[in-house]
Amino acid sequence: MYFAGSNALLTATASNNWQFINWNDGTTNNPHVITVPATNITCTAQFAATTTITVNANPNAAGSVTGGGTFLVGGTNFISATASNGWIFVRWNDGSTSNPYAIVVETNLTLTAEFAPVVTVTVTADPANVGSVTGGGSYIVGGNAVLTATASNNWLFVYWNDMATNNPHTITVPETNITYTAIFGDAATITVAA
């Protein structure tokens, strides 16, 4: 019981999986001090359901993840994954490749960022100024890289340093950095006389 004109201190305490939102007068202060009016009033604390998003990295040392926490049900939250050096983000364990990833929060959820090791595939030409090569870059271990050699005028592609003669040349990316060299040879000019 309060006297009119005195102050009353209202406090709202949320139960597990709920969050205080505001009082029915729109105030979000908690505790909330009101001046008691001359007539009886009802003050109602508004609560909303919450849920938890947990984010992990796999393997742990391959990267970091952010965005986990407790959120209002029905809201949207963004989680993100950042790869460490030598690793690349591949996907979340639910199959999504979005990064950052927008999650509509409905229920408790655990998402794991899957990372894969990367290596550098370097491609060169020999001799260096008689053709061009493409396909080098950073790749996921076990993935495929397509290497292509293009000869300049009066030169021909002969083979790759692994003795493969196919061009383009599809390789399975190994676990360590690797260099492939396209070997070029002189193209003989043949003149046919009539």
Side-chain angles (χ1 to χ4, degrees):
M1 176 180 290
Y2 294 92
F3 294 105
S6 66
N7 290 334
L9 181 66
L10 311 178
T11 302
T13 303
S15 299
N16 286 340
N17 301 319
W18 291 86
Q19 179 177 320
F20 167 76
I21 301 300
N22 60 5
W23 297 95
N24 60 320
D25 64 1
T27 299
T28 58
N29 295 339
N30 187 31
H32 177 31
V33 178
I34 64 166
T35 302
V36 178
T39 59
N40 292 338
I41 62 166
T42 299
C43 295
T44 303
Q46 307 290 331
F47 294 92
T50 62
T51 191
T52 301
I53 295 178
T54 303
V55 289
N56 300 308
N58 182 34
N60 279 337
S64 60
V65 288
T66 60
T70 301
F71 306 94
L72 295 178
V73 170
T76 300
N77 182 56
F78 288 88
I79 60 174
S80 62
T82 304
S84 300
N85 286 339
W87 295 83
I88 189 170
F89 168 75
V90 178
R91 66 184 161 270
W92 297 96
N93 63 311
D94 67 353
S96 174
T97 56
S98 298
N99 189 30
Y101 184 17
I103 304 292
V104 177
V105 182
E106 298 295 342
T107 186
N108 289 345
L109 182 65
T110 297
L111 288 169
T112 301
E114 304 287 346
F115 295 94
V118 294
V119 298
T120 300
V121 175
T122 303
V123 289
T124 62
D126 182 21
N129 59 348
V130 300
S132 61
V133 287
T134 61
S138 295
Y139 292 92
I140 296 172
V141 171
N144 288 333
V146 179
L147 314 179
T148 304
T150 304
S152 300
N153 289 339
N154 301 319
W155 290 86
L156 293 173
F157 166 75
V158 181
Y159 59 89
W160 296 94
N161 62 311
D162 66 354
M163 305 309 291
T165 57
N166 47 326
N167 186 29
H169 181 27
T170 301
I171 64 163
T172 299
V173 178
E175 294 183 2
T176 58
N177 294 341
I178 193 166
T179 298
Y180 278 83
T181 301
I183 310 299
F184 294 95
D186 261 330
T189 303
I190 301 174
T191 304
V192 178

